[in-house]
Amino acid sequence: MSAHDVVFGFGAHPGIDDIPGLLRTVQQADRDGLDHFSVADHPYLGGRLDAYATLGFVLGSTRHIAGLVNVTNVPTRPPAMLARTVTSLSALSGGRVVLGVGAGGLWDRIADMGVPRLSPGAAVDAFEEAITLVKLLSGGGAPVTFEGAHYQVRQIEPAPVAAPPVWTGSVGPKSLAATGRVADGWIPGHAADWLSERYRTSRPIIDEAAAAAGGGPGEIRTIYNLPGRITDRPLPATRGDDGRWLGGSAAQWIEELTGAVLEHGASGFTLFSAENGAADDTVLARWAQEIAPAVREAVTK
């Protein structure tokens, strides 16, 4: 995916019983030209499919679409092994991987997995170290020794495969600054969109940290997790009383997303059309065949 293209994808929360539907849906999205599919990472839920096993299986049955874990539960996945996983998936799929990363939110459940509990500040420090280490262990070069406060490796040979783009699910100021320093993209938390107060107060923290690290303005992409309905007829209001996007007709979606790109610098959108399991096939077809192509055309005029 080009760093300058607007990307469109969809998200699912697949369980063990959802495998046939998930595979069918992603294969159709691949044929329809969507850029990525995403799965959540909740390893403490026994009924859910493992995120990275799912990515590998699905990528093996598709040709163009990229896979994203939205977002990787880093405390349960040591970054040196995560680096091996994502570089291997990238090599196997021809580069069709995006690394989504989070510091870990549900610490009671994470600790139930036997992972030592970290304070919020320490968890963000570990999150930044993890991204740094994944990048160091990618792209070839000399053996890596890394002595962080949370992660250490000694004379480990990097994979001869470039690191995939790293998108984070940062929320708090400290993790937002880490995103600016070491990531390539940001997925605003709590489904915040480009008109939300959360976005307006968060994005400057990323940009300031990126500039301090030598990056240019807008270098960190913003890719939105976007719930909402696609309706046959226009809705009287596309946003609720709290200002949150509700959805609307295809024309209303196209107008809104085009404005998000041209006026607010949005780089991509991941549609969530179902609360659980695989995405709704009918909604996803409209997303891929009507909305995404129209927005792509509108923003390139």
Side-chain angles (χ1 to χ4, degrees):
M1 292 182 290
S2 165
H4 303 291
D5 291 339
V6 179
V7 295
F8 291 82
F10 77 95
H13 306 294
I16 299 296
D17 296 334
D18 299 316
I19 295 169
L22 175 68
L23 193 58
R24 181 189 67 248
T25 298
V26 180
Q27 289 172 338
Q28 184 61 51
D30 189 39
R31 291 190 290 269
D32 285 342
L34 285 182
D35 298 291
H36 63 273
F37 71 96
S38 82
V39 294
D41 190 17
H42 296 292
Y44 33 75
L45 298 178
R48 292 280 183 90
L49 293 167
D50 175 77
Y52 278 97
T54 302
L55 244 62
F57 181 76
V58 175
L59 287 171
S61 68
T62 56
R63 299 182 60 187
H64 307 290
I65 198 166
L68 160 71
V69 175
N70 188 357
V71 289
T72 305
N73 193 316
V74 166
T76 63
R77 299 184 185 272
M81 288 303 300
L82 182 60
R84 293 293 190 242
T85 298
V86 296
T87 53
S88 295
L89 283 172
S90 184
L92 288 163
S93 67
R96 294 186 290 124
V97 177
V98 179
L99 174 56
V101 182
L106 301 176
W107 270 98
D108 286 344
R109 299 311 314 273
I110 292 169
D112 288 343
M113 296 284 290
V115 177
R117 186 186 294 270
L118 296 177
S119 68
V124 173
D125 291 337
F127 154 87
E128 185 168 359
E129 283 186 16
I131 297 172
T132 299
L133 188 51
V134 167
K135 291 188 172 186
L136 288 172
L137 291 174
S138 308
V144 172
T145 294
F146 181 85
E147 295 288 348
H150 300 277
Y151 302 114
Q152 301 84 36
V153 300
R154 294 174 183 83
Q155 292 295 296
I156 300 299
E157 182 181 1
V161 178
V166 177
W167 299 350
T168 77
S170 295
V171 175
K174 187 172 181 178
S175 63
L176 291 166
T179 292
R181 288 190 292 269
V182 298
D184 308 294
W186 173 50
I187 305 167
H190 304 288
D193 67 30
W194 46 95
L195 299 184
S196 67
E197 180 66 18
R198 182 180 294 274
Y199 174 78
R200 287 195 295 272
T201 57
S202 297
R203 182 69 211 200
I205 299 172
I206 293 174
D207 292 338
E208 289 166 13
E219 205 167 273
I220 311 299
R221 309 182 72 181
T222 306
I223 306 92
Y224 296 93
N225 285 342
L226 201 60
R229 296 183 296 144
I230 303 174
T231 58
D232 292 331
R233 297 180 179 179
L235 294 181
T238 57
R239 291 181 177 272
D241 293 339
D242 60 356
R244 184 177 289 269
W245 172 252
L246 300 174
S249 66
Q252 288 174 314
W253 278 86
I254 292 163
E255 180 181 8
E256 181 80 19
L257 300 191
T258 299
V261 175
L262 297 179
E263 299 169 23
H264 302 281
S267 293
F269 311 94
T270 303
L271 177 70
F272 284 83
S273 62
E275 291 297 321
N276 297 292
D280 181 284
D281 288 350
T282 302
V283 172
L284 190 60
R286 298 195 68 188
W287 174 247
Q289 297 170 16
E290 296 180 51
I291 295 171
V295 175
R296 289 188 180 114
E297 181 180 1
V299 301
T300 55
K301 286 182 178 178

